């Protein structure tokens, strides 16, 4: 999904609806996306929001998303959520956007627009009998970072943007934040039953050893770290930048992996996608961390654990991808899209002498503090 500040002609949210209770689906990739046509989307936009315009479908993994170009030239995103998604989790994603609009309106995140009844979302039951949450968000133009090249200074700016986002979410609470999400690094122990799906025997042994280290040395330390609700998926597919040669980030999208977890886990997720090629694999990461620390200084325990947590994000990606691709072969291309980069990132970190990564992080922070 993509969104930004309020669109002219669209009402702000003035009220919200309480989330309905619903059991969480075990894997949303196993569920079909809502069967909504552009014509039906146009009807929903008209009936629920009182707007019309040119409607076109957008690609999405599990939801039905539609871009709407209003007659006044403004853009909006109509989002029809998968019926299998836990509605309390959907509500958390909606509520955090409302919260961020209030505490830091300058953050480039989607804005939620009210229905004609003044609510943040609306339940709609289709002829199939499936009930979907419908929301209208503002639309954010930009280039997906995954398809752009980084100009100097980008990574420092990414770090400051993540820290600003995390700071904005610091006072946000929601009952769904404690849900178990396998992409949450602190849940790495739950990956063990999935390891058998990793066909490369050597890689499977490496992943097993890293999970052994997690159980023995990392997991016991996590409860002592600062924790809050975080974005948890600050990756290049969820970041919009200002062009093909990216100088700055202009948007943060997809809050679907939000969870309550240590701040260091959230930062590790972001860093895991920024392993550089060449002789200095931490070059981008150190700049990102320096930017982050300029807003939110890191504690010593967080710095010490970051390299292990970055490895564990790669362990999660490599294990989950193998397991899900085997279960859902029709979605294998999408599921496996990050396998090569995760393997490269893991190899880069494992190729460094013990302590080198932590020393590099400490050094960059000392340098930035001068």
């Amino acid at each position: 999904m993509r969104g930004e500040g309020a669109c002219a002609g669209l009402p702000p949210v003035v009220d919200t609806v309480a989330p309905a209770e619903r059991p969480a689906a075990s894997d949303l990739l196993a569920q079909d996306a809502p069967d909504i046509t552009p014509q039906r989307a146009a009807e929903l936009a008209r009936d629920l929001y009182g707007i019309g315009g040119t409607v076109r479908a957008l690609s999405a993994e599990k939801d039905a998303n539609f871009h709407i170009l209003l007659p006044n030239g403004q853009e909006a995103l109509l989002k029809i959520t998968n019926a299998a998604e836990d509605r309390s989790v959907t509500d958390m994603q909606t509520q955090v956007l409302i919260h961020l609009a209030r505490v830091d309106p300058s953050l480039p995140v989607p804005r939620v627009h009210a229905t004609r009844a003044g609510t943040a979302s609306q339940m709609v039951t289709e002829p199939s009998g499936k009930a979907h949450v419908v929301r209208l968000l503002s639309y954010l133009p930009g280039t997906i970072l995954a398809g752009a090249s980084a100009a100097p200074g980008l990574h420092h700016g990414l770090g400051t943007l993540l820290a600003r986002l995390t700071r904005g979410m610091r006072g946000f609470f929601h009952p769904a934040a404690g849900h178990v999400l396998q992409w949450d690094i602190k849940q790495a122990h739950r990956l063990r039953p999935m390891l058998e799906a990793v066909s490369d025997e050597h890689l499977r042994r490496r992943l097993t050893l890293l999970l052994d280290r997690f159980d023995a040395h990392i997991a016991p330390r996590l409860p002592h770290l600062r924790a809050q609700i975080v974005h948890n998926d600050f990756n290049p597919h969820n970041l919009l930048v200002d062009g093909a040669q990216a100088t700055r980030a202009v948007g943060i999208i997809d809050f679907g992996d939000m969870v309550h977890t240590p701040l260091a886990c959230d930062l590790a997720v972001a860093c895991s996608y920024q392993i550089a090629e060449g002789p200095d694999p931490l070059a981008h990461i150190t700049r990102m961390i320096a930017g982050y620390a300029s807003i939110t200084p890191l504690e010593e325990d967080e710095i010490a654990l970051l390299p292990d947590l970055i490895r564990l994000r790669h362990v999660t990606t490599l294990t989950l991808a193998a397991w899900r691709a085997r279960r859902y072969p029709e979605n294998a291309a999408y599921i496996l899209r990050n396998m090569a980069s995760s393997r490269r990132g893991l190899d880069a970190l494992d190729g460094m002498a013990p302590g080198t990564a932590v020393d590099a992080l400490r050094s960059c922070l000392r340098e930035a503090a001068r």
Side-chain angles (χ1 to χ4, degrees):
M1 64 184 186
R2 302 170 71 168
E4 61 171 6
C7 296
L10 298 178
V13 173
V14 296
D15 197 2
T16 59
V17 291
E21 294 298 324
R22 188 178 192 83
S26 58
D27 195 329
L28 283 175
L29 273 185
Q31 311 296 324
D32 292 332
D35 185 18
I36 306 290
T37 65
Q39 292 74 24
R40 175 58 176 152
E43 293 174 0
L44 291 171
R46 180 196 64 207
D47 296 344
L48 298 181
Y49 294 95
I51 65 170
T54 304
V55 178
R56 63 181 175 90
L58 302 173
S59 60
E61 175 185 351
K62 58 185 177 63
D63 301 323
N65 295 334
F66 296 89
H67 174 270
I68 303 177
L69 178 62
L70 279 68
N72 64 4
Q74 296 293 318
E75 299 172 279
L77 173 69
L78 188 73
K79 190 172 185 68
I80 297 96
T81 302
N82 196 301
E85 181 169 277
D86 186 329
R87 290 177 196 162
S88 65
V89 173
T90 305
D91 183 70
M92 177 171 64
Q93 297 165 22
T94 304
Q95 296 303 325
V96 78
L97 295 177
I98 297 171
H99 171 83
L100 290 172
R102 182 172 65 251
V103 301
D104 189 351
S106 65
L107 273 172
V109 299
R111 298 288 181 256
V112 181
H113 296 295
T115 66
R116 298 172 76 178
T119 58
S121 63
Q122 178 67 50
M123 291 297 306
V124 173
T125 301
E126 292 300 289
S128 64
K130 292 183 177 181
H132 305 281
V133 177
V134 180
R135 290 169 292 171
L136 187 71
L137 307 177
S138 52
Y139 186 85
L140 179 70
T143 300
I144 296 290
L145 176 56
S149 300
L154 176 69
H155 293 93
H156 188 279
L158 291 178
T160 59
L161 182 60
L162 176 59
R164 285 183 56 210
L165 174 64
T166 306
R167 184 177 62 183
M169 296 171 71
R170 184 168 52 194
F172 176 72
F173 300 94
H174 195 281
H179 72 123
V180 175
L181 179 73
Q182 190 58 74
W183 287 107
D184 180 4
I185 292 175
K186 75 172 186 284
Q187 304 292 347
H189 62 284
R190 298 176 183 272
L191 292 168
R192 285 191 184 276
M194 306 176 195
L195 284 173
E196 48 87 23
V198 179
S199 58
D200 184 324
E201 185 176 346
H202 175 66
L203 177 60
R204 187 167 63 249
R205 285 199 301 268
R206 289 176 65 190
L207 300 181
T208 301
L209 289 173
L210 287 168
L211 289 182
D212 291 343
R213 175 168 172 75
F214 172 79
D215 289 340
H217 302 290
I218 310 304
R221 299 167 68 180
L222 295 182
H224 303 285
L225 303 182
R226 295 178 294 177
Q228 64 170 73
I229 299 175
V230 296
H231 184 274
N232 196 49
D233 200 15
F234 201 80
N235 80 67
H237 292 277
N238 292 336
L239 294 170
L240 301 174
V241 292
D242 56 353
Q245 186 68 14
T247 64
R248 62 186 179 91
V250 297
I252 309 165
I253 59 177
D254 197 345
F255 284 68
D257 279 359
M258 284 171 53
V259 72
H260 188 281
T261 202
L263 269 66
C265 291
D266 184 49
L267 180 56
V269 169
C271 291
S272 70
Y273 294 94
Q274 303 300 336
I275 302 287
E277 297 190 35
D280 185 6
L282 298 181
H284 300 331
I285 290 175
T286 53
R287 296 186 188 103
M288 178 180 285
I289 288 175
Y292 186 96
S294 70
I295 303 293
T296 302
L298 293 172
E299 297 179 354
E300 175 56 33
D301 287 347
E302 294 168 333
I303 299 168
L305 284 175
L306 264 174
D308 279 306
L309 295 175
I310 295 170
R311 283 188 183 89
L312 285 162
R313 176 63 175 199
H314 293 310
V315 172
T316 300
T317 299
L318 292 167
T319 304
L320 271 182
W323 181 74
R324 296 172 89 182
R326 192 169 73 174
R327 289 189 68 188
Y328 315 119
E330 68 279 7
N331 287 314
Y334 178 85
I335 295 168
L336 297 173
R337 71 192 187 283
N338 289 323
M339 284 284 280
S341 61
S342 285
R343 182 69 179 266
R344 181 176 63 81
L346 190 60
D347 289 344
L349 288 170
D350 285 351
M352 302 177 75
T356 301
V358 172
D359 289 344
L361 300 185
R362 290 183 180 133
S363 176
C364 84
L365 291 173
R366 285 196 299 269
E367 189 85 11
R370 290 177 183 171

